[in-house]
Amino acid sequence: MKKILPFIMIALGASLWGIIAVFVKGLGEYGFTAMEIVAARVFFAAIFLVLIGIMRFRNCFKLQSASDIRLFAGTGILSIVFFNYCYFTAMNQISISMAVVLLYTAPAFVTVLSYLFLKEGINLGKIAAVAGTILGCILIAGVTAGSRDITLLGIMTGLGSGFGYALYTIFGKFALRKYHPYTVTLYTFLIASVFLIPVTRLWTKAKIFLNTEVLFLSIGLGFVPTVLAYFVYTWGLEKTDGSKAAVIATVEPVVAMLLGVTLYGESLGAIQIAGALLILSSVIIVNLPARRKNAGRAADSSKLEH
């Protein structure tokens, strides 16, 4: 049991990410815009992270330099805010299943961005993964172009979520050279909150937050598929190989698809499923080579944005 428990925890963390649509759809029904939902998520997540830090990571609050704020502006605003906005918008434009699959184009973006900015090598496997991702997107977008359930905005924001997801890995790697993963996570959500609350004027929704269901959904969004999912995933990741964890984490889109089909009555065609399988296979391919040394620490960070 001890041997398989880390894998179970990784799968549990990914599954918690997969149910995020429940909270997003729920808040959307109360009139919250995609950006307001993002603001609620980062705000409540930041509160939980501060409380956890007081209990467990008191030595991780201090920044080495005030100029490092720019790193967290990258992870918090350019990635977290942009990624979540695109992801939540896509969920309202296309099916949950397709939104989460398009999110998983991120490894292809990471491969290209890492080559351009981090000078990481690129091999045949990575090229095949990028090609598979592109083909998968073409299949999904092409076959559904005439569907009333699919919009161009949905496809573009779905791809935007994958790009934003990838940006976190790039900025996160620079931040992790100086800081503990908890510090990176904390300041990412704090900066995102400081940016979003005045932009969205979230305080104008104060009366709506008094509604028990809205408060439950908001707190749940900040805790269950965000803070809890990250810590559960990290616990499992610390006890297993990073590349294996990344493959197991592809249970997330499976859970999201099942949720969309069972809870929201979504349907998938054969070509859509083929496109989804191509993208998910590409994720597995790009994560197959074992990472050494700082793999665990980098992987910790790359999953924080969920």
Side-chain angles (χ1 to χ4, degrees):
M1 185 63 183
K2 287 185 178 180
K3 290 183 179 180
I4 66 170
L5 187 59
F7 299 112
I8 293 174
M9 298 302 276
I10 290 167
L12 175 60
S15 298
L16 292 176
W17 287 319
I19 66 170
I20 194 172
V22 173
F23 301 96
V24 174
K25 293 282 189 182
L27 288 172
E29 289 176 1
Y30 279 93
F32 283 83
T33 65
M35 194 64 88
E36 288 170 343
I37 296 173
V38 180
R41 185 187 191 188
V42 298
F43 174 71
F44 283 102
I47 291 174
F48 283 119
L49 286 166
V50 169
L51 293 175
I52 291 169
I54 292 171
M55 292 185 289
R56 286 197 56 191
F57 301 103
R58 293 186 181 181
N59 60 332
C60 294
F61 280 98
K62 188 176 180 180
L63 294 181
Q64 296 178 25
S65 170
S67 63
D68 289 336
I69 290 293
R70 69 180 187 275
L71 293 175
F72 304 117
T75 56
I77 300 172
L78 298 182
S79 178
I80 290 291
V81 173
F82 177 71
F83 148 68
N84 279 276
Y85 171 74
C86 287
Y87 192 31
F88 297 166
T89 300
M91 283 185 179
N92 290 321
Q93 292 288 323
I94 56 179
S95 70
I96 295 169
S97 306
M98 291 301 100
V100 76
V101 166
L102 291 174
L103 167 66
Y104 267 70
T105 58
F109 286 117
V110 169
T111 298
V112 175
L113 292 173
S114 295
Y115 174 74
L116 293 175
F117 297 106
L118 299 176
K119 307 305 178 185
E120 291 186 1
I122 195 165
N123 54 36
L124 190 60
K126 290 182 179 180
I127 293 172
V130 172
T133 300
I134 294 171
L135 180 57
C137 290
I138 291 172
L139 288 176
I140 290 172
V143 74
T144 56
S147 172
R148 288 177 297 176
D149 297 327
I150 299 294
T151 65
L152 177 61
L153 177 61
I155 296 295
M156 295 305 295
T157 52
L159 290 172
S161 70
F163 180 71
Y165 187 172
L167 284 179
Y168 192 93
T169 298
I170 305 303
F171 285 111
K173 283 189 176 182
F174 285 111
L176 283 169
R177 291 175 181 174
K178 298 179 68 174
Y179 295 104
H180 187 276
Y182 169 79
T183 307
V184 177
T185 313
L186 173 65
Y187 281 96
T188 291
F189 281 94
L190 284 176
I191 294 296
S193 297
V194 169
F195 172 78
L196 272 183
I197 290 175
V199 168
T200 60
R201 295 169 56 87
L202 198 62
W203 59 83
T204 61
K205 297 277 186 178
K207 288 185 179 180
I208 302 179
F209 279 110
L210 295 177
N211 181 298
T212 304
E213 186 175 353
V214 171
L215 188 60
F216 173 78
L217 288 168
S218 301
I219 293 174
L221 179 61
F223 183 69
V224 179
T226 309
V227 176
L228 178 61
Y230 164 66
F231 278 103
V232 168
Y233 178 89
T234 302
W235 186 92
L237 185 65
E238 288 173 347
K239 295 171 173 48
T240 190
D241 183 74
S243 60
K244 290 180 182 178
V247 173
I248 296 169
T250 55
V251 71
E252 178 190 353
V254 176
V255 170
M257 285 182 183
L258 291 174
L259 184 71
V261 171
T262 58
L263 200 59
Y264 299 103
E266 297 177 355
S267 60
L268 294 173
I271 299 181
Q272 285 177 307
I273 293 173
L277 290 175
L278 262 175
I279 292 173
L280 298 182
S281 297
S282 299
V283 173
I284 293 172
I285 289 171
V286 83
N287 282 291
L288 279 179
R291 303 281 181 92
R292 303 298 180 189
K293 296 181 181 178
N294 294 327
R297 201 175 186 192
D300 278 358
S301 175
S302 69
K303 300 302 291 189
L304 300 185
E305 62 186 75
H306 265 85

